[in-house]
Amino acid sequence: MSDQDSRTRSQSVADTLRERILAGEFAPGTRMQEIALAEELHVSRTPIREALRSLAEDGLLDYAANRGYRVRQFTARDIVISFRVRAAMEGLGCRLLAEQGLTEQQLQRLDAILQHGDELLANGDYAANEYAQWRELNRSFHVALLKFSESVLLKKIARDAMTLPIVNHGAFHWYRPEDFRRSHEQHHMIVKSIREHDGERAEWWMREHIRAAGEIVAKHL
Amino acid sequence: MSDQDSRTRSQSVADTLRERILAGEFAPGTRMQEIALAEELHVSRTPIREALRSLAEDGLLDYAANRGYRVRQFTARDIVISFRVRAAMEGLGCRLLAEQGLTEQQLQRLDAILQHGDELLANGDYAANEYAQWRELNRSFHVALLKFSESVLLKKIARDAMTLPIVNHGAFHWYRPEDFRRSHEQHHMIVKSIREHDGERAEWWMREHIRAAGEIVAKHL
DNA sequence: GGTGGCGCTATTGTATACATCTTTTTCAAT
DNA sequence: ATTGAAAAAGATGTATACAATAGCGCCACC
């Protein structure tokens, strides 16, 4: 869903509920009832209904006609598959980017992100509050690549595969210092491959990068 | 969006509009205005709004807050990428199915579809009205595999990648007799590979199968 | 005591009225 | 004539009333 500019109440409600669901506030199977949510969020049922519909399309809720919405159950298998999907999709994205080439401006943007990572590594401080920075750094890297792909489909799919409760929330808490280093080195290799128009390697490195992240998550399933 | 049982007006409207958009009835950029559609389809704005939101999530419409919905423009590149996405996703699906194995019942279902194809080939009548049968046959084959994967994510993504105007509507009209034959043989190879638990080959054949279809479409871009 | 149907209640689906925002048109001033 | 603001028209966003459906408990009946 491509929005632009101002936000409506429906969108705000959708964002709020999405965050709360991803944070694990609602147990799987919990009914999301319109009236209760409307009262809690101080809006009418209309924006609630539209938000719930969006969340269902995102795959976060199950819907049955005349029976409403329930929080979806995600199995360990769902999580594992989501990483394989991401590996395939973002890998494909990297291959396309390498084949078609990036503008100087886009490469500079990636370099800036890489440099930021270099600095974080140099400081070598992995205290709890650093996790947030790494997560944001990682997110901006992947989002930037997706954005450069200029394919609505790729962006949408990658988003779908990243929007899962456990994955979205946790993940980096399980990284050891060497995992951060390795992950960052892979970011470098990905950009290098794209810059050299080596689609094969760009795809391979991105797949390997996401596969590694998936393995760490899978261990803590 | 997982529905079940009865259909609501919102869903009917969404289906109707989806079909009409996929059939190319509305030129890209056309505004989809709620009041006009409501009057045309003899329902209130409410189900129209919900349908439009669904179609936007499907990627068929663009949305801007307070400015409504427009029919999305699909570029030739979008179409090409959609086939590469499908190749990657359905290929992954086949690999998973081969790895985990299918039940006897599921294999029988696939065999039934293959046999139906054998019969169509044997008759060798490629008249215009046969296209519909081939399309349905092909659709049921791919849908069955997706369904067996038991991954909401894979199903959703494959659906996203198949829901494009040109692709959904045409495609088979451009097939020559030998294309039908080759396509059907690939179906056989895919099932054979899955049955033998050869994930590598199952994925390869599915990728090749979709890649070939993509090339035919690309020629007529 | 179990089962099946009936009706009540709670919840969702739809229509419509009202609020807000966007866009167009009008009209005056330069 | 052109530009700009302001008002009016049209469209979307939100709230609410009403309709329809599903879920539940009760009671009769077997």
Side-chain angles (χ1 to χ4, degrees), chain A residues 1 33 65-66 76 80-81 124 140 142 155 159 185 193:
Chain A
M1 184 155 169
Q33 300 195 123
N66 292 307
V80 170
I81 289 183
S140 62
H142 288 268
K155 276 182 243 180
R159 182 168 168 282
E185 278 172 7
S193 303

Short mmCIF file of all heavy atoms in Angstrom, two decimals, chain A residues 1 33 65-66 76 80-81 124 140 142 155 159 185 193:
data_model
loop_
_atom_site.label_atom_id
_atom_site.label_comp_id
_atom_site.label_asym_id
_atom_site.label_seq_id
_atom_site.Cartn_x
_atom_site.Cartn_y
_atom_site.Cartn_z
N MET A 1 0.84 -1.19 0.00
CA MET A 1 0.00 0.00 0.00
C MET A 1 0.87 1.24 0.00
O MET A 1 1.59 1.53 0.94
CB MET A 1 -0.84 -0.05 1.26
CG MET A 1 -1.81 1.06 1.33
SD MET A 1 -3.19 0.60 2.35
CE MET A 1 -3.92 2.20 2.50
N GLN A 33 -11.33 -7.54 18.56
CA GLN A 33 -12.71 -7.12 18.38
C GLN A 33 -12.80 -5.61 18.16
O GLN A 33 -12.18 -4.82 18.87
CB GLN A 33 -13.53 -7.55 19.59
CG GLN A 33 -13.51 -9.05 19.76
CD GLN A 33 -14.59 -9.53 20.69
OE1 GLN A 33 -15.41 -10.36 20.31
NE2 GLN A 33 -14.61 -9.01 21.91
N ALA A 65 -15.07 -14.37 7.50
CA ALA A 65 -16.23 -13.52 7.29
C ALA A 65 -17.25 -13.66 8.41
O ALA A 65 -17.56 -14.78 8.84
CB ALA A 65 -16.88 -13.85 5.95
N ASN A 66 -17.71 -12.56 8.89
CA ASN A 66 -18.72 -12.50 9.96
C ASN A 66 -18.20 -13.02 11.30
O ASN A 66 -18.96 -13.09 12.26
CB ASN A 66 -19.96 -13.30 9.59
CG ASN A 66 -20.71 -12.67 8.45
OD1 ASN A 66 -21.05 -11.49 8.51
ND2 ASN A 66 -20.95 -13.44 7.41
N ALA A 76 7.55 -22.24 14.16
CA ALA A 76 9.00 -22.14 13.96
C ALA A 76 9.29 -22.29 12.46
O ALA A 76 10.17 -21.61 11.92
CB ALA A 76 9.71 -23.22 14.76
N VAL A 80 11.54 -19.94 9.89
CA VAL A 80 12.65 -20.46 9.08
C VAL A 80 12.41 -20.17 7.61
O VAL A 80 13.30 -19.70 6.89
CB VAL A 80 12.81 -21.98 9.30
CG1 VAL A 80 13.78 -22.56 8.28
CG2 VAL A 80 13.32 -22.24 10.71
N ILE A 81 11.19 -20.44 7.15
CA ILE A 81 10.87 -20.18 5.75
C ILE A 81 11.01 -18.70 5.41
O ILE A 81 11.49 -18.34 4.34
CB ILE A 81 9.46 -20.68 5.40
CG1 ILE A 81 9.44 -22.22 5.39
CG2 ILE A 81 9.00 -20.15 4.05
CD1 ILE A 81 8.11 -22.81 5.00
N GLY A 124 33.74 -0.53 19.27
CA GLY A 124 33.73 -1.84 19.92
C GLY A 124 32.93 -1.92 21.19
O GLY A 124 33.18 -2.73 22.06
N SER A 140 18.46 0.09 7.70
CA SER A 140 18.64 1.10 6.66
C SER A 140 19.39 0.52 5.47
O SER A 140 19.13 0.89 4.33
CB SER A 140 19.37 2.33 7.23
OG SER A 140 20.65 1.97 7.68
N HIS A 142 19.35 -2.67 4.36
CA HIS A 142 18.46 -3.51 3.56
C HIS A 142 17.36 -2.69 2.89
O HIS A 142 17.00 -2.96 1.74
CB HIS A 142 17.86 -4.62 4.43
CG HIS A 142 18.86 -5.67 4.81
ND1 HIS A 142 19.05 -6.81 4.08
CD2 HIS A 142 19.76 -5.74 5.83
CE1 HIS A 142 20.01 -7.54 4.63
NE2 HIS A 142 20.46 -6.91 5.70
N LYS A 155 9.91 -4.96 -3.00
CA LYS A 155 9.78 -4.23 -1.73
C LYS A 155 8.69 -4.85 -0.87
O LYS A 155 8.87 -5.10 0.32
CB LYS A 155 9.43 -2.76 -2.00
CG LYS A 155 10.64 -1.90 -2.30
CD LYS A 155 10.23 -0.45 -2.49
CE LYS A 155 10.55 -0.01 -3.90
NZ LYS A 155 10.21 1.38 -4.21
N ARG A 159 9.17 -6.87 2.67
CA ARG A 159 8.47 -6.35 3.84
C ARG A 159 7.64 -7.44 4.49
O ARG A 159 7.65 -7.60 5.70
CB ARG A 159 7.60 -5.17 3.42
CG ARG A 159 6.85 -4.51 4.56
CD ARG A 159 6.25 -3.19 4.11
NE ARG A 159 5.31 -2.69 5.10
CZ ARG A 159 4.08 -3.14 5.25
NH1 ARG A 159 3.66 -4.13 4.51
NH2 ARG A 159 3.28 -2.62 6.17
N GLU A 185 30.97 -7.18 7.62
CA GLU A 185 31.87 -7.50 6.52
C GLU A 185 31.08 -7.96 5.29
O GLU A 185 31.43 -7.65 4.15
CB GLU A 185 32.86 -8.60 6.94
CG GLU A 185 34.05 -8.06 7.73
CD GLU A 185 34.89 -9.19 8.31
OE1 GLU A 185 34.62 -10.36 7.98
OE2 GLU A 185 35.80 -8.88 9.10
N SER A 193 30.45 -6.16 -4.58
CA SER A 193 30.00 -6.97 -5.71
C SER A 193 29.07 -6.19 -6.63
O SER A 193 29.17 -6.28 -7.86
CB SER A 193 29.29 -8.23 -5.21
OG SER A 193 30.13 -8.97 -4.35
#
